[in-house]
C-alpha cells in the first residue's frame, strides 16, 4: 500500500509543474495593466512606470517566472496588489468560509443523492425511478446562480427565514449550500443509480434473496456496499469541483470566501492573488484525486496489483 501511495504522489508532480507554469502565463494574458490600477487612473506615465518597476513587472518574463517559482518553494505567495497584504494572509482569512460552505454542500448533497440514487435503482423502470431521475436531470440542468436567486427571493425576501449575505451563523450557510450542492446531488444520484442497477444483476444478489434475506438487507447490506467504489469516486471528484467551483455562488450571496476573493482579484488585475488562488484550487483538486485513488486501493485491493 505504501509503495502504491508513493507511486501516485510521484505521478502528481508533473501535473503540479504544468499547473504552476500554465497559471503564471495565463494570468498575464488577462487584459489590463496592474501597474496603472495600482498607481491610479490619474497617475502620470512616470508614476505608472515607477510602480511597474516596484512590482517587478518591468523584468523579463522568464525572470518573473523564476522568482514566482522560487517564492512558491519558500511558501511565499507574494503580496496582494489590491490590499497590500500577503496573499497567504488573504487566503487564510477566507479559506475557512469556503471550506465550511463546501462541506455543508457536500454533506447534504451526498446524503440526498445516495438515497435518491438507491431508491431509483432499486425500483428501475417504475414511477419511483422516473421521478427520481427527473429530479436529477432538473438539478443538473438548472444553473446554480438561478437557483440561488430563487432561494433568495423565496426564503429571504418573502419568508425572511434566512439572511441573504454574510457569515457568522449556520443560517448564512443554508441558502448558498443548497444552491451550490443541487447539481452535485443530482450527479451523485445518477451515478449511484447506475451502480446499484449493475450490482443488483450480480449472482450473489440473487443468492442473498434466495436465502430469504430482507430486501432492505439485500439493498443496503450487499448492493450498496459493493457499489461504494463508484460512489466514492464521484463524491471525491465533486468535492474537488465544489472547492474550486463556488465562485458564482459566493458572488450571488456575497459570501466572503475564496471564490469572491478571486472575482475581486480579477477585477483589480491582482496577479499574485489570481495566481495563488487558481493554484490553490488546482492543488486541492489534485490532492482530492490522490485521496480518491488511495481509497480506491483500500476498497478494491486488486487495484494495487494492477
Amino acid at each position: 500500500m505504501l509503495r502504491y501511495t508513493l507511486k501516485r504522489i510521484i505521478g502528481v508532480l508533473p501535473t503540479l509543474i504544468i499547473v504552476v507554469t500554465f497559471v503564471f502565463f495565463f494570468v498575464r494574458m488577462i487584459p489590463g495593466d496592474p501597474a496603472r490600477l495600482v498607481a491610479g487612473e490619474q497617475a502620470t506615465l512616470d508614476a505608472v512606470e515607477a510602480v511597474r518597476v516596484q512590482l517587478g513587472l518591468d523584468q523579463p518574463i522568464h525572470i518573473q517566472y523564476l522568482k514566482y517559482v522560487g517564492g512558491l518553494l519558500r511558501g511565499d505567495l507574494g503580496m496582494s496588489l489590491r490590499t497590500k497584504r500577503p496573499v497567504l494572509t488573504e487566503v487564510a482569512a477566507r479559506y475557512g468560509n469556503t471550506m465550511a460552505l463546501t462541506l455543508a454542500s457536500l454533506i447534504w448533497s451526498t446524503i440526498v443523492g445516495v438515497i435518491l440514487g438507491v431508491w431509483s435503482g432499486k425500483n428501475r423502470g417504475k414511477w419511483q425511478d422516473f421521478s427520481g431521475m427527473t429530479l436529477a436531470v432538473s438539478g443538473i440542468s438548472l444553473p446554480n446562480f438561478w437557483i440561488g436567486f430563487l432561494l433568495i427571493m423565496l426564503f429571504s425576501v418573502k419568508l425572511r427565514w434566512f439572511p441573504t449575505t454574510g457569515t457568522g451563523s449556520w443560517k448564512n450557510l443554508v441558502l448558498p449550500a443548497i444552491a451550490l450542492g443541487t447539481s452535485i446531488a443530482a450527479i451523485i444520484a445518477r451515478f449511484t443509480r447506475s451502480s446499484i442497477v449493475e450490482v443488483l444483476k450480480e449472482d450473489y444478489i440473487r443468492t442473498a434473496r434466495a436465502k430469504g434475506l430482507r430486501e432492505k438487507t439485500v439493498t443496503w447490506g450487499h448492493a450498496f456496499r459493493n457499489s461504494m467504489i463508484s460512489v466514492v469516486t464521484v463524491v471525491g471528484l465533486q468535492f474537488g469541483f465544489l472547492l474550486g467551483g463556488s465562485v458564482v455562488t459566493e458572488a450571488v450571496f456575497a459570501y466572503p470566501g475564496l471564490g469572491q476573493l478571486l472575482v475581486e482579484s480579477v477585477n483589480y488585475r491582482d496577479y499574485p492573488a489570481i495566481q495563488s488562488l487558481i493554484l490553490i484550487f488546482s492543488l486541492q483538486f489534485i490532492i482530492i484525486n490522490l485521496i480518491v485513488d488511495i481509497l480506491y486501493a483500500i476498497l478494491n485491493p486488486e487495484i494495487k496489483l494492477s
Side-chain angles (χ1 to χ4, degrees):
M1 186 65 193
L2 179 60
R3 182 179 179 182
Y4 174 81
T5 303
L6 291 175
K7 182 179 178 181
R8 297 301 301 160
I9 293 175
I10 293 173
V12 161
L13 295 179
T15 303
L16 190 57
I17 294 173
I18 293 174
V19 168
V20 169
T21 304
F22 176 79
V23 167
F24 176 83
F25 289 100
F26 175 78
V27 166
R28 278 153 181 76
M29 296 172 60
I30 299 176
D33 185 0
R36 166 63 68 181
L37 290 173
V38 172
E41 292 296 330
Q42 306 301 321
T44 63
L45 293 178
D46 290 339
V48 172
E49 190 60 30
V51 171
R52 195 185 315 279
V53 173
Q54 180 184 1
L55 298 177
L57 299 177
D58 62 319
Q59 299 177 348
I61 192 69
H62 67 279
I63 299 297
Q64 295 183 45
Y65 174 74
L66 292 176
K67 288 186 175 182
Y68 169 60
V69 173
L72 290 179
L73 295 176
R74 297 191 305 271
D76 181 11
L77 299 181
M79 193 73 66
S80 172
L81 305 182
R82 183 174 59 90
T83 64
K84 307 300 187 297
R85 300 172 61 194
V87 174
L88 190 59
T89 302
E90 295 286 331
V91 171
R94 303 201 187 197
Y95 189 83
N97 293 335
T98 294
M99 183 59 70
L101 175 60
T102 299
L103 290 176
S105 303
L106 187 69
I107 289 171
W108 87 259
S109 61
T110 300
I111 295 173
V112 172
V114 167
I115 293 175
L116 188 61
V118 173
W119 187 56
S120 298
K122 181 176 174 296
N123 298 282
R124 181 187 181 190
K126 300 180 181 179
W127 68 267
Q128 295 96 327
D129 186 19
F130 177 77
S131 301
M133 288 304 97
T134 299
L135 289 174
V137 171
S138 301
I140 296 174
S141 304
L142 299 176
N144 290 342
F145 68 87
W146 186 78
I147 295 175
F149 287 134
L150 286 182
L151 292 174
I152 290 174
M153 288 296 298
L154 178 59
F155 294 105
S156 296
V157 178
K158 298 292 185 182
L159 300 177
R160 300 183 182 276
W161 287 358
F162 302 103
T164 57
T165 61
T167 58
S169 170
W170 64 269
K171 290 185 177 181
N172 296 97
L173 278 176
V174 173
L175 297 186
I178 293 175
L180 185 60
T182 299
S183 60
I184 306 301
I187 293 172
I188 293 175
R190 288 175 62 87
F191 270 85
T192 303
R193 177 197 177 275
S194 299
S195 183
I196 288 292
V197 167
E198 291 300 319
V199 171
L200 287 176
K201 297 177 182 178
E202 298 293 335
D203 292 337
Y204 64 86
I205 296 295
R206 286 193 290 269
T207 302
R209 286 171 173 162
K211 288 181 178 180
L213 295 179
R214 293 186 304 170
E215 191 63 26
K216 183 181 296 185
T217 302
V218 173
T219 301
W220 294 102
H222 294 274
F224 176 70
R225 186 174 63 182
N226 287 283
S227 66
M228 277 297 293
I229 289 182
S230 298
V231 176
V232 166
T233 302
V234 69
V235 170
L237 293 177
Q238 296 310 313
F239 182 48
F241 281 121
L242 283 172
L243 283 170
S246 59
V247 176
V248 175
T249 302
E250 289 184 4
V252 169
F253 290 93
Y255 188 81
L258 296 184
Q260 189 184 50
L261 179 61
L262 179 60
V263 173
E264 296 170 355
S265 300
V266 170
N267 289 335
Y268 200 82
R269 309 302 187 273
D270 191 345
Y271 284 175
I274 299 172
Q275 290 172 174
S276 301
L277 289 168
I278 297 177
L279 181 60
I280 288 171
F281 289 145
S282 302
L283 184 60
Q284 288 175 153
F285 199 80
I286 291 173
I287 292 174
I288 292 298
N289 275 318
L290 178 61
I291 294 174
V292 169
D293 286 342
I294 294 173
L295 289 176
Y296 243 38
I298 294 174
L299 293 172
N300 186 1
E302 292 181 357
I303 295 177
K304 292 182 288 186
L305 302 177
S306 60

